[in-house]
Amino acid sequence: MKKIILYFLIFEIIAIGLFLLTDNFFYYLNFTYIGLCITIGLYLYNVETKYSKYARNFIQITIGLYLLIYLGILSSENMMLEGFWYYLFLGVFEAAVIHYAIAKIFGPFLFGRGWCGYACWTAMILDLLPYKTPNKKLDHEREKYGYIRYILFIISPILVSALFILKMATNTTMFYLFIIVNILYYIIGIILAYHLKDNRAFCKYICPITVFLKIGSKYSLLKIKYDKNKCDDCKKCYRSCPMDVDICSNDKNKTNATECILCMSCAKSCKKNALYL
Ligand code: SF4
Ligand code: SF4
Ligand code: SF4
């Protein structure tokens, strides 16, 4: 329980800090709401354990819908990668820039790819599809898609720069771009999930945001820890992992930190209690 309260306090510190920095009460409400959703989710996971299998979905849906519907659609804020470049090029310290800085660029040094496991509105839908644990036999087929995310990452700032050059870079254009890119992401994500029998195929091969996420998450303070002495090498953790992370492998400094979304499926599947956060 103490840990849960600590997480809420961390979000309150961010909320108050940003409120004081920007003199904008919205940031206080924004981060308090996000902290509250995470706190309730952690409570469901750790204390009201009969609901624990829904805890992550609860956090994903309450935060994901808030970001997508309220900030993205109702407040017309492009929260996608293109929105980040747009506001950055304008030199405006807006929600998209703050969002990227905290959730996807600097935050991952602290909480890894927690964004991907608990807050992303794309994965919020993808995680409801039937292929929660990917078919490991299809690994070779999936690998050929791996380069796509890097291409999309490069295209994004080029696209926004082109909009500026063509004098089409307006809030309205960015709003429509937000809607179009989101719809495309959902369509591609769902098709890929069914084609590769893997809910998270989009995250592994297409999503350009992983380029940012992987940098910080490699050095993340928060990561799954592995007690080798308790392990009997049954590989249940690997088979249950939606991101194909082999947490017991020797190359964990390289792979585990950057692909792991801290979903805790591996820890739940380990009967030896060899995995923990
Ligand atoms: S990889 Fe991309 S789509 Fe997947 S959860 Fe992370 S940010 Fe969302
Ligand atoms: S599930 Fe536990 S015991 Fe089995 S390989 Fe993974 S860490 Fe080891
Ligand atoms: S290693 Fe464990 S916590 Fe990380 S993504 Fe895989 S199952 Fe989830």
Side-chain angles (χ1 to χ4, degrees):
M1 195 69 193
K2 274 184 198 158
K3 251 188 180 177
I4 297 174
I5 294 169
L6 183 69
Y7 280 119
F8 181 70
L9 289 177
I10 289 171
F11 274 90
E12 277 302 278
I13 290 167
I14 295 172
I16 294 167
L18 278 172
F19 167 53
L20 294 175
L21 199 70
T22 61
D23 203 21
N24 187 343
F25 193 57
F26 160 78
Y27 290 111
Y28 177 74
L29 295 178
N30 180 71
F31 284 96
T32 298
Y33 172 77
I34 292 172
L36 212 54
C37 295
I38 293 173
T39 306
I40 295 171
L42 289 175
Y43 181 79
L44 293 177
Y45 185 83
N46 292 294
V47 184
E48 287 293 328
T49 46
K50 63 180 176 221
Y51 300 115
S52 69
K53 66 176 175 179
Y54 304 113
R56 200 165 64 84
N57 295 104
F58 172 84
I59 300 173
Q60 279 180 306
I61 289 169
T62 48
I63 297 180
L65 285 182
Y66 162 68
L67 295 172
L68 177 66
I69 307 285
Y70 178 70
L71 287 187
I73 298 175
L74 298 178
S75 306
S76 301
E77 180 92 31
N78 188 323
M79 303 286 285
M80 308 291 281
L81 192 54
E82 292 69 35
F84 167 74
W85 295 120
Y86 172 68
Y87 290 110
L88 196 70
F89 292 165
L90 283 176
V92 179
F93 195 58
E94 283 288 348
V97 176
I98 293 175
H99 165 71
Y100 265 76
I102 292 177
K104 294 159 180 173
I105 299 174
F106 301 113
F109 284 94
L110 186 63
F111 48 75
R113 285 181 63 175
W115 161 263
C116 297
Y118 296 86
C120 172
W121 59 84
T122 309
M124 165 187 85
I125 299 296
L126 298 179
D127 275 354
L128 299 176
L129 300 177
Y131 306 106
K132 291 190 194 317
T133 49
N135 182 344
K136 312 291 184 206
K137 287 182 188 150
L138 290 174
D139 272 359
H140 60 282
E141 190 180 341
R142 297 188 197 113
E143 277 164 13
K144 67 186 177 201
Y145 297 102
Y147 64 93
I148 299 175
R149 56 186 166 193
Y150 298 102
I151 294 178
L152 292 177
F153 184 80
I154 292 166
I155 287 175
S156 181
I158 295 174
L159 173 69
V160 177
S161 304
L163 289 175
F164 274 104
I165 292 165
L166 297 169
K167 300 198 186 316
M168 288 171 64
T170 63
N171 285 351
T172 310
T173 313
M174 295 312 293
F175 173 71
Y176 286 117
L177 196 61
F178 175 76
I179 301 290
I180 292 165
V181 173
N182 262 304
I183 292 172
L184 279 175
Y185 277 14
Y186 279 128
I187 293 173
I188 297 167
I190 291 169
I191 291 174
L192 264 189
Y194 278 92
H195 176 62
L196 296 174
K197 304 202 181 329
D198 179 356
N199 285 357
R200 289 284 183 152
F202 180 85
C203 302
K204 291 173 205 165
Y205 314 114
I206 310 291
C207 180
I209 299 160
T210 51
V211 179
F212 275 145
L213 289 163
K214 276 171 165 283
I215 300 168
S217 57
K218 183 169 181 177
Y219 306 98
S220 170
L221 282 179
L222 201 65
K223 41 175 99 164
I224 299 286
K225 293 169 191 74
Y226 166 53
D227 185 342
K228 199 175 178 181
N229 297 324
K230 290 184 180 171
C231 178
D232 66 4
D233 207 26
C234 69
K235 293 290 179 201
K236 272 188 192 153
C237 48
Y238 174 60
R239 288 197 295 275
S240 73
C241 178
M243 296 299 287
D244 300 326
V245 176
D246 185 358
I247 207 85
C248 312
S249 72
N250 291 331
D251 60 350
K252 68 178 177 183
N253 285 336
K254 179 175 173 281
T255 311
N256 292 352
T258 64
E259 287 297 307
C260 176
I261 56 170
L262 302 174
C263 70
M264 302 300 287
S265 294
C266 53
K268 271 189 271 177
S269 71
C270 179
K271 302 290 177 236
K272 300 282 178 184
N273 292 325
L275 301 170
Y276 55 97
L277 206 55

